[in-house]
Amino acid sequence: MKAATHTEVYRKFDGELQRRPNRARTLAWSGVRIGFRRKLPALLLFTIPAISTIVTSFIVQLKFEAEAGTIGGMSGAPSMQSKAMGAALSQQMGEVEAIIFTLLKQIQYFVVLAMGWYGAGLIAEDKKLRANLLYFARPMTRWTYFLGKFGTVAFWGACAVVLPVTIVCSVAAFASPDWAFVREAWPTILKLELYAVLWVIVHGLLILAISSVCDRRNHALAGLFGFYFLSGFGAEAMSQLFDGTGWRLMSIPRNFERISDALFDTESYFVNWPLEATVWALGFLTLACAIVLARQTKKMEVGA
């Protein structure tokens, strides 16, 4: 057996260079995979939203089928029949939109629970375990680190509210005659999705900001619910004591209630202030969360 020795200095590279993976996406998916390892929290947190989505989908399906039978049984002149069908279909669209909006209102608070459970420890645990020494030595920028963590918390929020709304709207689109729900109610579909996405963004930033100032996941989780519910109860108490609705601007749910009134043309007794006030309140909260995150991640980067 003879051994072959390669004495040439250069040989042509015949392979393909591997593209650099997106660091933010990789970091976000890593957090999602860690969340999937524990099945019991997911079962407890997403059972009610899942059941509500299934029940609402069946209600929407049955409603379209019942109305289709009613419309199909109409008699009379063609002009009168077409007008009656149009009126019945418009009324049906409004009722279906109200059903989907009710679903959105019912499950939006479960989003806070799910995002809080999975997102409270994203930055706090990194500080506790000194994982920032590894992250920022890769190297990784603060912006990439933030996008990765926000991608994780936004994924769980989207599973809790954006996905259910999308599923029910899809069922309504397929069940409606000749895609009438898409053709006539597409602005409402966009508003529902916008409301759900806005809810996820604001609460995701709040959760990450609180997580960044804590060193333990349990502390961050307690701080989130303490801030969220105490601010809401405090706003209601102050509004009752001083007989003014302006105090309710301190409550995040009340501000989103004002946004829903503006998007879906509803009226609420508790949120009768201008929409601009809500925009300023949520904008200030978002800016404060961004400043806290920027300062905390900078400390983590310098510490690395």
Side-chain angles (χ1 to χ4, degrees):
M1 181 176 180
K2 297 181 179 180
T5 304
H6 296 281
T7 58
E8 64 269 20
V9 178
Y10 171 79
R11 284 183 294 175
K12 183 179 179 181
F13 177 69
D14 296 327
E16 295 182 359
L17 293 176
Q18 184 179 5
R19 296 183 60 185
R20 187 185 71 179
N22 186 284
R23 296 190 180 99
R25 185 173 63 247
T26 303
L27 184 60
W29 182 241
S30 175
V32 171
R33 285 187 299 172
I34 292 175
F36 275 121
R37 290 178 182 176
R38 301 182 65 181
K39 305 297 189 298
L40 183 59
L43 180 64
L44 296 176
L45 292 171
F46 292 99
T47 296
I48 294 180
I51 293 175
S52 300
T53 303
I54 294 172
V55 172
T56 305
S57 299
F58 274 111
I59 292 174
V60 170
Q61 176 74 25
L62 293 175
K63 188 168 188 60
F64 274 113
E65 291 179 358
E67 291 293 338
T70 303
I71 293 174
M74 289 182 178
S75 60
S79 59
M80 295 295 295
Q81 186 177 3
S82 61
K83 292 181 180 179
M85 291 175 59
L89 187 60
S90 299
Q91 181 181 1
Q92 182 183 12
M93 293 298 171
E95 293 175 356
V96 170
E97 293 172 7
I99 293 173
I100 301 176
F101 180 69
T102 302
L103 169 69
L104 182 60
K105 286 290 188 178
Q106 290 174 348
I107 65 176
Q108 62 184 2
Y109 293 104
F110 289 94
V111 185
V112 184
L113 294 175
M115 296 177 69
W117 178 264
Y118 289 105
L122 289 177
I123 301 180
E125 291 296 323
D126 286 348
K127 295 172 65 176
K128 175 184 176 182
L129 300 174
R130 303 291 292 171
N132 56 309
L133 298 174
L134 175 63
Y135 285 138
F136 293 109
R138 297 297 296 177
M140 180 179 292
T141 64
R142 286 180 288 165
W143 177 249
T144 303
Y145 179 80
F146 161 74
L147 288 180
K149 298 299 181 180
F150 183 79
T152 300
V153 71
F155 172 84
W156 297 110
C159 290
V161 65
V162 178
L163 183 61
V165 170
T166 304
I167 291 175
V168 178
C169 288
S170 301
V171 171
F174 283 105
S176 60
D178 298 329
W179 300 88
F181 189 75
V182 178
R183 290 186 289 103
E184 298 186 12
W186 65 266
T188 303
I189 298 175
L190 294 180
K191 291 177 182 179
L192 290 167
E193 298 288 353
L194 175 62
Y195 183 88
V197 170
L198 186 62
W199 184 276
V200 171
I201 291 175
V202 173
H203 288 82
L205 289 173
L206 176 63
I207 291 168
L208 290 181
I210 295 176
S211 179
S212 67
V213 299
C214 299
D215 294 328
R216 294 181 180 275
R217 179 178 176 275
N218 293 336
H219 296 169
L221 196 59
L224 168 65
F225 293 116
F227 173 83
Y228 194 81
F229 292 108
L230 288 180
S231 63
F233 294 148
E236 294 295 331
M238 296 296 288
S239 64
Q240 294 293 331
L241 289 174
F242 296 98
D243 194 20
T245 59
W247 291 100
R248 292 193 175 98
L249 283 168
M250 299 169 53
S251 174
I252 299 177
R254 290 300 187 189
N255 282 289
F256 273 94
E257 188 176 344
R258 181 64 184 90
I259 292 177
S260 67
D261 289 346
L263 289 176
F264 306 107
D265 296 328
T266 58
E267 294 184 1
S268 176
Y269 171 78
F270 299 100
V271 289
N272 54 359
W273 56 76
L275 180 61
E276 290 78 8
T278 289
V279 173
W280 278 104
L282 292 181
F284 177 79
L285 176 64
T286 303
L287 179 61
C289 293
I291 293 174
V292 170
L293 280 169
R295 292 178 61 89
Q296 294 299 319
T297 52
K298 183 177 181 179
K299 291 180 181 180
M300 295 173 65
E301 184 182 30
V302 172

